[in-house]
Amino acid sequence: MSTALIIAAAKVEDGQGQLNDVLHLEGSLAQLGIQPVQLVIEPLSADWHAPERPRHFRSGCAPLEALAEAKRLIEAGAQAVVISGEDHLKTGYERDERLNKMSVYGPDYPLTQAYTELAHAFSERHEIDGEQFKVLAEALFENHKVSFRHALAENFSEDMLPSSRWHQPITELFRGVDCANPLVDFSGRLLITNNEVADLLTIDTNKRLVIKAVGLSRLAGDGREYLQEIAGYEHLKQAYQQACQESGVDFSARFREGQALMEAYTCYPVVPMAFLIISGLVDVLDELPDFLAQHSITITGGMNLARGAWNNPALNGLITMYQRLCEGSESVGLVHGNGGLGYRQGVAIMESVTSDVPCIKR
């Protein structure tokens, strides 16, 4: 059975970046007579409620579902797979059109209300009140800021951070900075092959990232009717445990030892809180601020700061994770995806082919 490898990844955000490296390799594959299987992350313009077409994926979990399909295809004998996502949220839609498309539960149940109700249900399960929840949300945002500064390095400037109006409440539990800010034009691509094709393309070993496992789980439905079931996040736990078991990676231990990176899904604070609980990285929510003061839970700054175009934030995370693991000292990466209000969950674990570089504990 062939090993599925990410061998190239690139993105363009608001005109910054380029896809040429990936497109060049795709051209080289064509010269070799290899036609990659195309897997597409659908844009906001796609009908949220329509049946998904074959090899098309929709929701915030879509990039993880596509990655699982790419892994399956390579292991079944496909030589190459491309995962692509493109959405021009900033320039491709009128404001009213964008807001209407984002109202996936109808005009009477906006996402802000849905996530507020979910946060209340989650808080009740973990015996915290609204004020405690807001303290934890602030700790999460501060964590994202540190990651965002680090990701941009010398390109960072203070004016990239949200203005004061974004710090004002929009519901009783959330401020603007606590929520995803998706107004970005985005295009991204992942190229996945087996070792034989990577050799034909003369890809350096340190540019090959093994897709160790992708855990997926989904509930029977989404929205208000499933809110209490979502708030339990047992399906997220199942996805995480599946990824750890199939990969043979004790991610929590590797992460605590400074050998691993993560990109938690940060559309609203309740989602990363749930991930940190189900993964065992924190046992109770009271431990969260101390944990966040020591560990970055994203490599991008999260959706709050790094943003992400509708169904593509986890694709952005996968691309950035590939780049970080190829360049840094850590050897393992995890990317989390959350679909809809949370009924779809995905967790991918990747590992460097050359993972014998000493890791520095952070």
Side-chain angles (χ1 to χ4, degrees), residues 304-323:
N304 321 61
L305 295 172
R307 300 175 294 173
W310 193 233
N311 292 328
N312 287 287
L315 179 59
N316 181 41
L318 288 167
I319 292 166
T320 306
M321 186 65 73
Y322 171 81
Q323 295 165 345

Side-chain angles (χ1 to χ4, degrees), residues 65-77:
E65 294 172 342
L67 192 70
E69 176 65 2
K71 183 176 185 291
R72 185 193 69 78
L73 286 166
I74 295 294
E75 291 175 350

Side-chain angles (χ1 to χ4, degrees), residues 69-88:
E69 176 65 2
K71 183 176 185 291
R72 185 193 69 78
L73 286 166
I74 295 294
E75 291 175 350
Q79 292 178 290
V81 179
V82 170
I83 299 175
S84 64
E86 183 172 73
D87 213 346
H88 292 178

